[in-house]
Amino acid sequence: MNNNSFAKNFLWGTATAAHQVEGNNSNTDFWEWEKKHKLVPDSDEACDHYKLYKEDIKLIKNLNNNAHRLSIEWARIEPEEGKFSEKEINHYKEVLKELKKNNIKVFVTLHHFTNPTWFSKKGGWEKKENVKYFERYAKFCVEELKNLSNNWVIINEPNVYIALAYLKGFFPPQKRNLLLALKVYLNFARAHRILYKSIHNIQKNAEVGSAIAMVYFKANSIIEKVFLPTIKFITNFSFLSLTRDCHDYLGINHYFLYILDYRDLKLIKKIKPKDYSKIVKREVTDFGWLVYPQGIYEVVTNAWKRYKIPIIITENGIADRKDVLRPAYIKNYLTWLKQAIVDGANVIGYFHWSLLDNIEWGQGTEIRFGLYETDFRTQKRIPRRSAAIYSEIAKSNGANL
Ligand code: BGC
C-alpha cells in the first residue's frame, strides 16, 4: 500500500437517499409537506429508482466505483406502526443483492431526514420515548440485511435536520423552537448510541457511524472571529461529543465554505447566488454555496486530529445544473482530500453526492447534483462531463489527481 495517497482498497462511490430517488414515497412527513406546500409538484416519481435500480447500478459500474451509499425508507418498511412489510424489505434485499453481484460495497443509511407519518403524529423525534420506535425498525433492518451489508450509517446529518426543521422552520414539522431543537438533537444522539451497541450485538463485524455535516467557516471581522470556535464546535463536533466512542468511522458530509458575517448577506438580505458571488469574489453553486476546495482539507485534518478514527466522506458535491463548475470541483476537492491523506489523515472512502439528479429537499428538480442528468419526463439518465472525470479518477485510484 502506498501510504502517501489513496489506499489500494479506497472506497470510491456515490451517495443517494431513498426519498430523493425512489419515487412514490407517500407515507412520509416529507411527502405530505411537499404536497401541502406545493413545494415540489413533480416529486411523485422522483427518478423512479425503485423500479430502475438495476439500470442505475450499471451507472455506478460505469463510474468505476467500488462502493455505494443508499438509504432505507423507514415508511416503506413500517408503513403503519408495528406492521413491517415483507414486500418492502425484500425489495431492499434485491437492491443489495444486485450491488453485491456487481462487487459494490454498500453503506446503508437508516435515517435520511424522512419519517413515517405515523411516527411524526406521535411527536416524532421530539419525544424521548419515541426513540424506541426507530430502534425497533433499525434493528429489524440490520437483522434482515446483515448478510448483504455490514456498513451502517445510523443517521444522516442530525445537525442539518434540527437546523432546518426546528430552527429555520423549513423542513417538516416546520417549527422554530430552540428547546425542541435541543430535545430532537439529544434524541438523535440517544438513538445513535443505542443503535451503535445493538448493531454490534447483531453483527460482530459491523462498521457503524453516522454522517455529520461539517462546514468550513471563515470569519470576516473581529466580531465574528470571537464566535467562530463556538459556531464551529456546535455545527461540526457537538453530535460527536454526544456520541463519543460510538463511531467505527467518522462520516463527514462536506460541501462548502461559510463566511460568518453578522449582516448575513445571503440569508437575511436574500441576495441571489450570482450577486453573492460578485460580492465575495468567489465561485458560488446554483444553491448559493461557496466553492472552496481547501475546505475539505481543513475539515478532514481537523477532525482527524480530534478523533483519530478512520474518516469517510459520506457526501460531497455541487448543485450545478449546467455542469460548468463540477469538473473542477471534483478534481480540486479530491486533490485537497489527497493532501489531507498525505499529511497523515486516515481517509478510507469518498462518496460523491450524487449519482443522478434527484428531488432536492424543498427545491424539487430545480437543484441538480447529479453526475448523471435525469430527464424527469422520460427517466433517461444522461452522463454529464463530470461523470467521465470522476470515473477516470476512481479508475486510477486518484493517481491522476
Ligand atoms: C443531504 C442530501 C442533500 C444534499 C444537498 C445533504 O445535506 O444529506 O440529502 O440532497 O445535502 O443539499
Side-chain angles (χ1 to χ4, degrees):
M1 180 186 119
N2 170 9
N3 55 14
N4 282 330
S5 186
F6 299 101
K8 225 172 84 198
N9 55 353
F10 190 83
L11 302 170
W12 295 100
T14 56
T16 57
H19 184 77
Q20 293 177 273
V21 292
E22 285 179 349
N24 294 305
N25 193 14
S26 55
N27 285 321
T28 66
D29 50 355
F30 272 83
W31 176 274
E32 278 193 352
W33 170 72
E34 285 164 357
K35 297 287 170 272
K36 191 163 139 208
H37 299 281
K38 300 199 171 47
L39 278 172
V40 271
D42 46 2
S43 70
D44 289 25
E45 265 204 342
C47 314
D48 208 13
H49 176 75
Y50 190 88
K51 292 198 205 103
L52 301 176
Y53 70 89
K54 284 195 181 159
E55 301 304 309
D56 291 340
I57 292 171
K58 285 188 195 142
L59 305 182
I60 297 174
K61 283 306 271 182
N62 291 344
L63 293 174
N64 289 307
N65 281 188
N66 57 1
H68 182 58
R69 178 183 164 218
L70 74 165
S71 81
I72 304 280
E73 189 57 60
W74 182 4
R76 282 190 195 279
I77 302 293
E78 193 182 357
E80 285 174 56
E81 187 191 332
K83 292 199 176 140
F84 290 80
S85 161
E86 210 183 309
K87 173 179 165 267
E88 297 297 347
I89 196 72
N90 284 341
H91 167 78
Y92 288 109
K93 281 185 188 163
E94 291 309 313
V95 176
L96 296 184
K97 273 185 205 157
E98 187 68 18
L99 285 156
K100 196 171 188 166
K101 205 169 92 192
N102 283 282
N103 293 320
I104 295 163
K105 190 165 175 167
V106 286
F107 276 70
V108 177
T109 309
L110 296 164
H111 187 273
H112 197 123
F113 294 162
T114 48
N115 298 301
T117 27
W118 63 262
F119 178 76
S120 316
K121 286 197 183 118
K122 279 181 174 298
W125 291 93
E126 293 167 21
K127 296 201 176 132
K128 188 172 159 186
E129 62 267 29
N130 286 354
V131 170
K132 64 175 181 287
Y133 297 112
F134 177 69
E135 190 193 345
R136 180 177 62 181
Y137 142 79
K139 276 160 65 178
F140 173 82
C141 291
V142 177
E143 277 290 356
E144 291 288 326
L145 306 174
K146 66 180 178 219
N147 296 330
L148 296 162
S149 171
N150 65 325
N151 305 302
W152 308 96
V153 182
I154 303 173
I155 299 158
N156 182 67
E157 297 189 345
N159 48 351
V160 170
Y161 182 90
I162 58 153
L164 295 181
Y166 286 92
L167 296 176
K168 209 175 169 203
F170 178 51
F171 280 6
Q174 300 191 285
K175 296 188 181 170
R176 293 183 115 176
N177 183 324
L178 184 59
L179 193 68
L180 281 182
L182 275 173
K183 278 191 180 168
V184 169
Y185 206 44
L186 293 177
N187 288 333
F188 272 140
R190 197 165 277 129
H192 178 102
R193 289 193 305 266
I194 294 173
L195 258 312
Y196 179 80
K197 287 204 190 80
S198 8
I199 295 177
H200 279 288
N201 285 340
I202 299 172
Q203 192 181 43
K204 292 286 163 273
N205 66 341
E207 297 288 335
V208 187
S210 275
I212 318 293
M214 290 198 188
V215 175
Y216 182 58
F217 290 101
K218 277 192 175 189
N220 249 355
S221 71
I222 293 287
I223 320 177
E224 290 111 16
K225 279 198 180 119
V226 175
F227 296 106
L228 190 68
T230 315
I231 292 180
K232 192 168 143 188
F233 174 79
I234 295 174
T235 312
N236 293 356
F237 301 127
S238 57
F239 192 77
L240 290 161
S241 296
L242 293 168
T243 54
R244 229 172 218 289
D245 301 325
C246 294
H247 296 259
D248 299 322
Y249 63 88
L250 184 52
I252 299 179
N253 291 0
H254 174 71
Y255 285 88
F256 56 84
L257 157 74
Y258 194 92
I259 303 178
L260 293 176
D261 184 336
Y262 71 97
R263 295 163 302 173
D264 212 337
L265 289 172
K266 196 158 60 84
L267 290 181
I268 297 173
K269 297 194 179 162
K270 296 212 187 311
I271 288 181
K272 289 202 181 100
K274 241 209 225 134
D275 302 328
Y276 185 56
S277 172
K278 275 184 210 143
I279 298 170
V280 292
K281 298 192 185 67
R282 286 178 195 278
E283 275 168 351
V284 167
T285 75
D286 292 350
F287 229 160
W289 296 350
L290 295 179
V291 177
Y292 186 67
Q294 196 181 333
I296 201 165
Y297 173 88
E298 304 293 345
V299 160
V300 164
T301 46
N302 212 324
W304 171 248
K305 277 185 209 138
R306 254 184 122 99
Y307 299 100
K308 297 275 184 212
I309 47 175
I311 291 175
I312 298 179
I313 301 300
T314 31
E315 282 180 34
N316 168 250
I318 174 168
D320 182 25
R321 181 185 263 267
K322 298 200 176 125
D323 207 39
V324 179
L325 302 178
R326 191 177 287 104
Y329 182 101
I330 294 177
K331 281 191 208 154
N332 296 338
Y333 271 71
L334 282 170
T335 302
W336 276 105
L337 186 65
K338 190 173 182 176
Q339 190 60 43
I341 299 172
V342 170
D343 291 348
N346 182 14
V347 185
I348 60 171
Y350 171 88
F351 291 85
H352 190 81
W353 185 272
S354 186
L355 175 64
L356 68 171
D357 292 342
N358 51 50
I359 303 298
E360 180 60 25
W361 312 99
Q363 324 281 337
T365 57
E366 274 311 297
I367 291 290
R368 295 181 175 229
F369 276 92
L371 292 171
Y372 287 85
E373 181 188 339
T374 306
D375 179 332
F376 288 93
R377 273 182 314 110
T378 60
Q379 291 300 354
K380 269 216 173 101
R381 283 53 164 143
I382 307 134
R384 292 201 164 96
R385 193 159 64 94
S386 294
I389 287 168
Y390 186 48
S391 176
E392 280 308 307
I393 295 173
K395 192 173 170 190
S396 77
N397 199 27
N400 61 353
L401 287 167

